[in-house]
Amino acid sequence: MGSFKKLIRLSENDNVLVVCCNIEPGEELQLENVRYVINEFVALGHKIALKDIAMGEPILKFNVVIGSAVRDIKKGQHVHVHNIKSDFIPTYTIDNQKS
Amino acid sequence: MELLGYERKDGRKGIRNVILVAYLVECAHFVSSEIAYPYKKDGVQVVGFGGCYPNSHASKVMTQLCTHPNVGAVLLVSLGCESFNRAKLAKDIQASGRPVETLVIQNCGGTAKTVKKGQAWLQSTISKLMDTKRVKIGVKDLVVGTICGGSDATSGITANPAVGLTFDKLVKNQAIAIFEETGEMIGCVEDIVARAKTRNLGMEIQNCLNKAARYYTIMGHGSFAPGNADGGLSTIEEKSLGAYSKSGSAQISGLIKPGDVPPSAGLYLMDVVPDGEPRFGFPNINDNMEITELIASGCHLILFTTGRGSVVGSAVSPVIKICANPDTFRKMSDDMDVNAGKVIESNVTLQEVSEEIYDKIIETASGVPTVSEKLGHQEFVIGYKTFEPIGPNCLVG
């Protein structure tokens, strides 16, 4: 398992990558000769930015738009509910629950 | 492997020989459970509808479950004053050739007397059902449904696309395969519509998906749980993309509604979102409501993919659980039939996992219990819904 890659790009045009195991802060990952410095914990299956993404830009995974950035995202940063949003129905989490 | 099914008098062929104790209102649920409890190992299971008000969808689902190919006999348990049309249900079950008995608690004299009568009926029926005729069946006789529950970001990378490949093989081998979750196809609409066998069916599917998107928007809540986000899914589009991959790549032969049994081999989409203005709340309150509806449309077994780790099974039809996430599999392997997460961690391919799922279908159809069956899982729920019948363009001949 140690030799197995920790990052995958699901489709050619994607601007996010998927991590294949839990990544600890400070880890450096490499894919296709590009290095990514990860400064936060990123769990298995979660996404990181393949390159800098500007606020409002669409997020592409499997070459399909899965939402858009609500703030600028730097290359290597965790891409999730804190920095992207659905273009259809808002995502519900326990933290944003209206009481 | 040679498969032997149970032949029913109406000609349908099952892979299990279940006796149902069916309550017709929540007030008869406890009594039904008491009747069934000592006979769980004999294949006696409890299903039912909790509502006291009438609902045509609930009646249809109950009728289809009580005459399901996996079901051999039915004991109906009524309190006595609910609005469920018990006489019609009993008549429909009888017309299918299955033994049926109705107990009305208010006429039997209460809990203890009803339990005693019910158990006496079960005892004689269990021995009768042992003589059910066995017939050879093949993959072409199977109806297989799929659902994902407790999805995370691994679901769409491992288990769901593997099920998609299994679905392709089932369709190629003349089985009926059904997918659903029309509330989880947001962002995938163009692709789905293009897979319809006819242009008119494509338009029906388009309308069905528009209806789902509108319904969920009015509800103000997508088909999305907090655990999905914890597992790395950020938006409903992302979840949809993964969910949709379970359907594989075959052409779509029809659009059905819960309780409609597809007429011939092929891939079908089940529309689970009610017609008309929202009246009874969320379309599907949990995974088991969708599983129940798939089974009402004839599914002999269900392929259930999970990333976060669901433990559920179902009444009536076995559930095969396919775990997408390797960490979850390590924690919950006792609840899983297939480990699809190894696609992420090793050189095992999606194709190889899909073959494993296919083999598990054959094994389960041959009578080997799935993990959730062994653990005794028999979750079940029917809700209030309103549906119009499907239109003439929904089934392609």
Side-chain angles (χ1 to χ4, degrees):
Chain A
M1 182 186 160
S3 65
F4 209 77
K5 61 181 174 185
K6 294 182 171 179
L7 271 183
I8 45 172
R9 186 211 285 240
L10 292 166
S11 186
E12 199 56 33
N13 297 321
D14 290 1
N15 54 8
V16 291
L17 301 169
V18 172
V19 306
C20 301
C21 56
N22 293 337
I23 307 295
E24 298 300 327
E27 262 193 74
E28 281 192 30
L29 304 177
Q30 189 162 330
L31 184 73
E32 294 154 9
N33 295 321
V34 182
R35 283 171 62 184
Y36 301 88
V37 182
I38 313 298
N39 292 317
E40 58 209 313
F41 175 78
V42 184
L44 164 69
H46 285 238
K47 303 171 288 297
I48 62 163
L50 178 143
K51 55 186 179 189
D52 291 351
I53 300 170
M55 188 168 92
E57 261 192 74
I59 307 299
L60 277 164
K61 180 184 175 188
F62 277 117
N63 201 23
V64 173
V65 176
I66 60 160
S68 45
V70 293
R71 60 183 58 127
D72 293 344
I73 306 170
K74 290 256 171 276
K75 177 187 148 195
Q77 275 185 343
H78 187 203
V79 175
H80 198 28
V81 291
H82 61 292
N83 52 20
I84 75 169
K85 67 166 184 66
S86 169
D87 296 328
F88 292 87
I89 303 173
T91 299
Y92 169 88
T93 62
I94 297 287
D95 295 336
N96 71 13
Q97 181 174 11
K98 292 185 192 107
S99 55
Chain B
M1 190 187 299
E2 187 176 271
L3 299 178
L4 282 179
Y6 297 89
E7 188 176 61
R8 308 298 170 198
K9 295 209 166 92
D10 56 7
R12 296 176 84 184
K13 294 162 192 156
I15 61 167
R16 293 290 183 273
N17 206 19
V18 172
I19 299 176
L20 290 181
V21 179
Y23 60 90
L24 306 182
V25 62
E26 180 58 23
C27 321
H29 188 166
F30 175 80
V31 171
S32 300
S33 299
E34 285 292 292
I35 293 171
Y37 183 73
Y39 304 97
K40 205 172 166 178
K41 292 248 175 319
D42 300 298
V44 176
Q45 303 182 352
V46 176
V47 300
F49 177 57
C52 190
Y53 298 92
N55 182 250
S56 59
H57 160 77
S59 299
K60 182 176 176 179
V61 170
M62 282 290 279
T63 306
Q64 290 290 20
L65 292 167
C66 291
T67 57
H68 189 280
N70 287 350
V71 172
V74 186
L75 176 65
L76 300 178
V77 185
S78 158
L79 176 62
C81 43
E82 75 275 9
S83 48
F84 203 104
N85 189 341
R86 60 175 181 263
K88 182 173 186 309
L89 179 57
K91 209 173 140 200
D92 289 341
I93 298 167
Q94 197 169 29
S96 80
R98 288 164 179 76
V100 57
E101 174 69 277
T102 305
L103 296 179
V104 179
I105 297 170
Q106 288 164 354
N107 297 344
C108 288
T111 302
K113 288 170 186 150
T114 310
V115 170
K116 201 174 161 201
K117 273 192 177 174
Q119 292 185 340
W121 185 84
L122 280 183
Q123 273 176 2
S124 68
T125 307
I126 288 165
S127 54
K128 268 188 230 160
L129 270 202
M130 302 233 250
D131 300 329
T132 305
K133 191 177 165 196
R134 304 301 298 266
V135 287
K136 269 191 208 173
I137 58 167
V139 171
K140 63 172 176 38
D141 296 305
L142 295 180
V143 184
V144 180
T146 190
I147 177 175
C148 42
S151 295
D152 70 13
T154 64
S155 301
I157 298 171
T158 64
N160 292 355
V163 165
L165 292 169
T166 309
F167 254 39
D168 289 348
K169 186 167 171 183
L170 286 169
V171 171
K172 202 175 130 212
N173 291 337
Q174 301 292 305
I176 290 172
I178 308 177
F179 69 114
E180 45 96 36
E181 292 158 332
T182 50
E184 296 176 16
M185 289 176 185
I186 288 166
C188 314
V189 178
E190 271 177 43
D191 194 86
I192 303 176
V193 168
R195 288 170 62 193
K197 266 194 175 162
T198 65
R199 205 170 149 262
N200 285 339
L201 173 60
M203 282 165 64
E204 292 280 359
I205 292 174
Q206 172 96 55
N207 292 339
C208 152
L209 298 180
N210 289 348
K211 176 185 76 172
R214 179 174 172 271
Y215 203 105
Y216 277 97
T217 304
I218 293 172
M219 291 282 117
H221 202 304
S223 178
F224 201 99
N228 298 144
D230 294 340
L233 294 171
S234 307
T235 63
I236 183 65
E237 299 95 296
E238 187 179 14
K239 183 179 176 184
S240 298
L241 189 57
Y244 173 52
S245 67
K246 297 195 303 300
S247 67
S249 59
Q251 277 198 309
I252 299 170
S253 294
L255 176 67
I256 57 168
K257 293 186 180 176
D260 297 335
V261 179
S264 54
L267 176 68
Y268 293 81
L269 171 62
M270 190 171 81
D271 176 6
V272 293
V273 175
D275 293 317
E277 291 304 308
R279 290 167 76 183
F280 301 118
F282 289 106
N284 287 92
I285 57 171
N286 53 42
D287 297 325
N288 277 98
M289 188 180 273
E290 292 163 83
I291 291 176
T292 299
E293 291 173 2
L294 282 166
I295 296 171
S297 282
C299 288
H300 291 93
L301 52 89
I302 303 291
L303 305 178
F304 186 121
T305 67
T306 183
R308 303 294 288 171
S310 174
V311 299
V312 306
S314 179
V316 181
S317 295
V319 173
I320 295 173
K321 286 220 296 300
I322 302 149
C323 188
N325 184 319
D327 281 346
T328 304
F329 186 81
R330 276 185 281 274
K331 276 189 282 187
M332 298 179 68
S333 59
D334 291 350
D335 281 279
M336 303 298 164
D337 295 282
V338 177
N339 172 16
K342 57 196 171 197
V343 169
I344 295 182
E345 289 191 338
S346 68
N347 291 322
V348 174
T349 64
L350 283 174
Q351 187 64 47
E352 283 163 341
V353 172
S354 82
E355 292 295 333
E356 201 183 318
I357 297 167
Y358 193 87
D359 292 345
K360 188 60 79 176
I361 292 171
I362 304 297
E363 182 187 288
T364 304
S366 79
V368 177
T370 65
V371 167
S372 52
E373 280 184 294
K374 273 186 222 155
L375 289 167
H377 282 279
Q378 287 165 20
E379 287 84 348
F380 183 87
V381 61
I382 300 178
Y384 280 96
K385 288 191 179 186
T386 318
F387 283 107
E388 299 294 328
I390 55 169
N393 293 324
C394 289
L395 296 176
V396 179

